[in-house]
Amino acid sequence: MTDKNLSRRQFVAVAGGAVATTALAACGGAGTSEQPAAEGDSDVAETTKVSFVLDYTPNTNHTGLYVALDQGYFADEGLEVEIVQPPEDGADALIGAGGANLGISYQDYIANNLASDQPMPYSAVAAVIQHNTSGIMSRAEDGITHPAAMEGHTYATWNMPVEQATVKQCVEADGGNWDNVELVPYETDDDVAGLRANMYDTVWVYEAWAVQNAIVQDVDVNYFSFISVDPVFDYYTPVIAANDDFAKENPEVVKAFLRAVKKGYEYAVENPDAAADILCAQVPELDSALVHQSQTYLADQYVAEAEGWGVIDPDRWAAFYGWLNDNQLLANQIDVNAGYDLSYLE
């Protein structure tokens, strides 16, 4: 599998394999060193080591992190940041257990944690992308331009209740019959290749990667987003999450980290090609054409119409959790306003 073939499932599912590390500024566990911080606005008194776990291999969702390294934004805040790949039980488990101070998560994953009998202590502290940019992709020649048109076609599923409930609601809201959509197992690492091989007719993807990959490969596809069907699906995916205990004990460190990363994403908004070059230089195994294509698309998505990068709209957050509760898609009912804390975002 190559990074060029990164699928939607791999963006949101538990990533396998042993933990691998890549130093952003310097390797090491969480804690402080004896070196003084660089001059600047940071309230961090000493150089501080912070561990950050990704959700999967590096991609354009993570560009702000790599820009913050390249441009010295972490160093300006007196931080040394170590980025790690997730273990077999996922990034959320590592953050919640305190094995990583911060990392990438998703609002729906946080919901599952909140609904568990023993929730782990972690919360979203910033939105990476302002809107849910996922939806359904299909071959252009099949004419599946809206959800009801999925009837009589196959859909690649990974058998997750929230996933299937989302697609079902979209199909039925559009006047279609979900029972007439044939579910087939998702068994590919490349969404575009799967369509070309007729492994399925429709597949859940992220527009920033799979649709841009189709453009790069010159494959004609149709795509409709979930939020174009129902705004309740405009939830936050992905987010930056922090271990609650770490954040409460080190609030200025979390604030400093978010200040640096915010600058990184703002740089990517203003300079998408340069940001893509930075990401490719940091992670040379990535496909440069796809990274540049994806970065251009995401330049308008990191902030969109929000007042600034990282902002979470309480009403949108609560609306999605309300939908999960109403459809009994969680083990237990959850507080629709739980799971995020914007007090660290400046």
Side-chain angles (χ1 to χ4, degrees), residues 264-309:
Y265 282 104
E266 289 173 341
Y267 179 101
V269 170
E270 296 297 326
N271 308 280
D273 283 335
D277 288 338
I278 289 171
L279 179 59
C280 288
Q282 294 287 335
V283 191
E285 62 269 25
L286 290 173
D287 180 89
S288 179
L290 178 53
V291 169
H292 278 81
Q293 181 72 33
S294 177
Q295 204 65 66
T296 298
Y297 167 81
L298 282 175
D300 294 328
Q301 301 298 325
Y302 289 131
V303 179
E305 78 291 342
E307 63 184 33
W309 179 84

Side-chain angles (χ1 to χ4, degrees), residues 102 123-127 239-242 247 254 258 310 312 339-342 344-345:
L102 301 103
S123 305
V125 292
V239 297
I240 290 178
V254 177
L258 291 179
I312 291 174
Y340 72 100
D341 184 350
L342 293 185
Y344 305 101
L345 185 66

Side-chain angles (χ1 to χ4, degrees), residues 163-330:
E163 166 232 345
Q164 292 186 5
T166 298
V167 184
K168 177 182 179 182
Q169 176 151 323
C170 288
V171 170
E172 294 181 345
D174 194 36
N177 186 340
W178 175 245
D179 291 336
N180 293 334
V181 178
E182 181 184 354
L183 305 184
V184 298
Y186 184 105
E187 295 179 337
T188 180
D189 291 332
D190 185 337
D191 298 314
V192 177
L195 286 174
R196 297 178 73 175
N198 295 311
M199 297 177 65
Y200 44 75
D201 300 325
T202 62
V203 60
W204 181 326
V205 299
Y206 275 110
E207 187 173 358
W209 199 260
V211 176
Q212 306 313 310
N213 192 15
I215 293 172
V216 170
Q217 294 190 39
D218 197 25
V219 176
D220 291 332
V221 298
N222 283 324
Y223 170 83
F224 62 82
S225 66
F226 294 124
I227 64 175
S228 68
V229 180
D230 192 331
V232 77
F233 298 126
D234 198 9
Y235 55 90
Y236 289 92
T237 173
V239 297
I240 290 178
N243 177 275
D244 290 340
D245 295 334
F246 176 80
K248 290 175 183 177
E249 294 171 3
N250 304 276
E252 297 307 324
V253 174
V254 177
K255 290 179 181 179
F257 179 90
L258 291 179
R259 281 196 299 268
V261 172
K262 180 179 181 180
K263 290 179 182 178
Y265 282 104
E266 289 173 341
Y267 179 101
V269 170
E270 296 297 326
N271 308 280
D273 283 335
D277 288 338
I278 289 171
L279 179 59
C280 288
Q282 294 287 335
V283 191
E285 62 269 25
L286 290 173
D287 180 89
S288 179
L290 178 53
V291 169
H292 278 81
Q293 181 72 33
S294 177
Q295 204 65 66
T296 298
Y297 167 81
L298 282 175
D300 294 328
Q301 301 298 325
Y302 289 131
V303 179
E305 78 291 342
E307 63 184 33
W309 179 84
V311 172
I312 291 174
D313 182 335
D315 292 336
R316 281 170 48 203
W317 184 281
F320 179 62
Y321 277 6
W323 179 79
L324 293 176
N325 282 340
D326 292 344
N327 287 275
Q328 299 182 334
L329 294 170
L330 301 170

